Amino acid sequence: MTGNDLNLLSRGGPMMWVLGALAVLLVMVFIERVLFLHRGQISPEAFLEGIRNILARRRLVEALTVCEETPGPVAAVVKAALLQAGADGERMRLHVQEAALNEVPLLERRIGALAVVAQVAPLVGLLGTVLGMISTFAAFEQGGNYAMAAALSRGMWQALVSAAGGLLLAQVPFIINFFHSIFAGKKVVSDNPWNATTLEWQTPDTPARHGNWGDKLPVVYRWAYDYSVPGAEQDFIPQNQPGATLAH
């Protein structure tokens, strides 16, 4: 950063120090999350295949040791299942769900700080803008009819630079999330990614076109927004599927 850049930032007034602290917080959280997630990044398929091979040789303790030494949520969930190896399926399922729920806060830890920076930075910039405008009008009053541009520019610089700094800083979390969603986010492969239950999302082509059902109209078993079917394995049941066929 050159001297001119530092001089420009200094013209933003005291709120630039607050924005600088938010920027440092943002960088620290980002680096910590990248290192944490990279440490727990494994191939689930390869890991599970290794566990299957160990269990095929009836070495449960060895499988538990591998899970202990492997970082990440996958190993923790598999370990919870292995600890209930002699239990019934329902008990094992409950322990696996509990282990998965315990891993979610670890994955989402400190992510809220990024959202805080994205929300607070524009407000800090706006406050700097208001303080800059107050300084400008104070210079008007002191200068009277002979207020010079040099006296007024200080407040204007503060207003503009702090506003620009706040807006720029607020974009960083969104840019990170945008590129992460493109390159590492979950890929939507379904024609109905929202699990909509209404008929227009159950047609051969979605969204539905006019006459898409053809000669045979569908049979409707429930209202469009009835999300729960007694005995069903899932809550979002399409209108044209009977609940009995989806029960346990």
Side-chain angles (χ1 to χ4, degrees), residues 2 34 47 70 80 82 95 112 115 129 148 157 162 172 192 215 232 234:
T2 64
V34 169
F47 175 76
T70 303
L82 294 177
H95 280 79
T129 300
M148 304 298 292
W157 271 114
S162 61
V172 175
N192 185 10
D215 297 332
Q234 55 187 8

Side-chain angles (χ1 to χ4, degrees), residues 13-175:
M15 289 299 103
M16 295 303 295
W17 291 101
V18 181
L19 292 175
L22 292 176
V24 172
L25 174 64
L26 177 65
V27 172
M28 292 176 59
V29 171
F30 176 74
I31 294 176
E32 187 275 335
R33 287 290 86 192
V34 169
L35 294 178
F36 177 82
L37 296 176
H38 178 73
R39 177 176 174 270
Q41 187 176 11
I42 63 173
S43 173
E45 294 80 7
F47 175 76
L48 293 176
E49 184 63 27
I51 295 296
R52 291 192 192 98
N53 294 334
I54 296 174
L55 294 177
R57 299 192 296 269
R58 299 183 181 278
R59 298 180 178 178
L60 179 59
V61 176
E62 182 180 348
L64 288 171
T65 303
V66 172
C67 292
E68 284 280 357
E69 296 176 350
T70 303
V74 176
V77 173
V78 173
K79 177 187 174 183
L82 294 177
L83 289 174
Q84 303 299 322
D88 57 275
E90 182 65 20
R91 182 180 178 86
M92 180 181 292
R93 184 178 65 85
L94 291 176
H95 280 79
V96 167
Q97 290 180 346
E98 182 180 358
L101 291 176
N102 290 334
E103 290 298 315
V104 170
L106 296 178
L107 296 174
E108 297 180 348
R109 185 175 56 186
R110 300 190 181 93
I111 296 298
L114 301 180
V116 170
V117 172
Q119 295 173 359
V120 172
L123 299 179
V124 174
L126 178 61
L127 178 59
T129 300
V130 173
L131 294 177
M133 296 305 297
I134 292 175
S135 175
T136 300
F137 281 104
F140 265 119
E141 286 187 344
Q142 292 178 0
N145 296 329
Y146 302 99
M148 304 298 292
L152 304 178
S153 62
R154 180 179 178 182
M156 297 302 296
W157 271 114
Q158 179 177 341
L160 295 174
V161 173
S162 61
L167 293 176
L168 287 175
L169 182 59
Q171 301 307 310
V172 175
F174 293 105
I175 293 174

